[in-house]
Amino acid sequence: MAQTLISYYSKSGNTKKMAECIAEGIKPTEGMEVILKKVEDTVIEDMLNSDVIIFGCPTYFGVMTAGLKELMDKSVKYFGKLNGKIGGAFTSSGAIGGGNETTILSIIQGFLIHGMIIQGFQKGNHYGPVSIGAPDEAVKEECVRYGKMLGDLSVKISK
């Protein structure tokens, strides 16, 4: 059975809501198990055992949060072991232009260095879902579509 790890940091609950919506979108993927975990509860083995890895966090100073960066830094020890896995990223922030794209790109950059596969998102925020404040219905729908897109990609790749 294929596995998706959605690991997130959420202080206010906004990023957690986004993670849950992404999980909702990917769960219907045939043969896919979805694991939803807080970053602080995520271990490297979760990443190694997953086919799809999606990270999310609020935007702090235009980059990922310290806890998520710490997890990424720990993954360096396993360089080469994530090659060919699918990656995705999402964020929430307090303002438009608050560093949302740079936060997502900082996550994706780590995934690309690991040799992971990243698919751009044509219908919405191109790098991954973004919420300004609490996710509204449009953001929730985008998160569901994003999850579905990554689930569909995992099926295509596994054939």
Side-chain angles (χ1 to χ4, degrees), residues 99-115:
N100 308 315
E101 287 185 348
T102 55
T103 297
I104 289 177
L105 289 172
S106 70
I107 296 168
I108 289 174
Q109 181 179 20
F111 286 164
L112 288 170
I113 291 167
H114 271 300

Side-chain angles (χ1 to χ4, degrees), residues 6-158:
I6 303 173
S7 182
Y8 65 91
Y9 175 80
S10 187
K11 188 173 182 178
S12 68
N14 294 337
T15 311
K16 178 182 179 183
K17 289 175 190 168
M18 294 175 74
E20 291 167 345
C21 291
I22 293 169
E24 180 184 327
I26 204 165
K27 280 181 183 176
T29 305
E30 186 175 337
M32 183 65 73
E33 175 188 9
V34 178
I35 297 175
L36 194 60
K37 280 191 163 186
K38 294 178 181 178
V39 165
E40 55 268 27
D41 297 332
T42 303
V43 294
I44 296 298
E45 289 73 23
D46 295 324
M47 296 171 68
L48 296 172
N49 294 330
S50 296
D51 304 286
V52 180
I53 302 168
I54 307 168
F55 282 170
C57 65
T59 294
Y60 288 175
F61 297 101
V63 294
M64 69 182 93
T65 57
L68 184 52
K69 178 69 166 95
E70 180 181 3
L71 179 60
M72 274 290 212
D73 288 348
K74 287 179 183 176
S75 74
V76 170
K77 183 177 177 183
Y78 300 91
F79 188 73
K81 304 281 187 196
L82 302 179
N83 189 49
K85 294 179 183 283
I86 296 168
F90 62 101
T91 190
S92 61
S93 74
I96 295 173
N100 308 315
E101 287 185 348
T102 55
T103 297
I104 289 177
L105 289 172
S106 70
I107 296 168
I108 289 174
Q109 181 179 20
F111 286 164
L112 288 170
I113 291 167
H114 271 300
M116 293 174 65
I117 299 164
I118 307 298
Q119 181 176 356
F121 195 49
Q122 300 80 39
K123 299 176 181 173
N125 292 291
H126 301 301
Y127 306 115
V130 170
S131 182
I132 308 304
D136 60 16
E137 286 308 309
V139 170
K140 290 177 184 177
E141 289 173 16
E142 182 177 38
C143 289
V144 170
R145 285 194 320 270
Y146 189 69
K148 181 180 181 338
M149 179 192 76
L150 294 178
D152 290 348
L153 179 61
S154 71
V155 169
K156 286 179 189 177
I157 288 174
S158 67

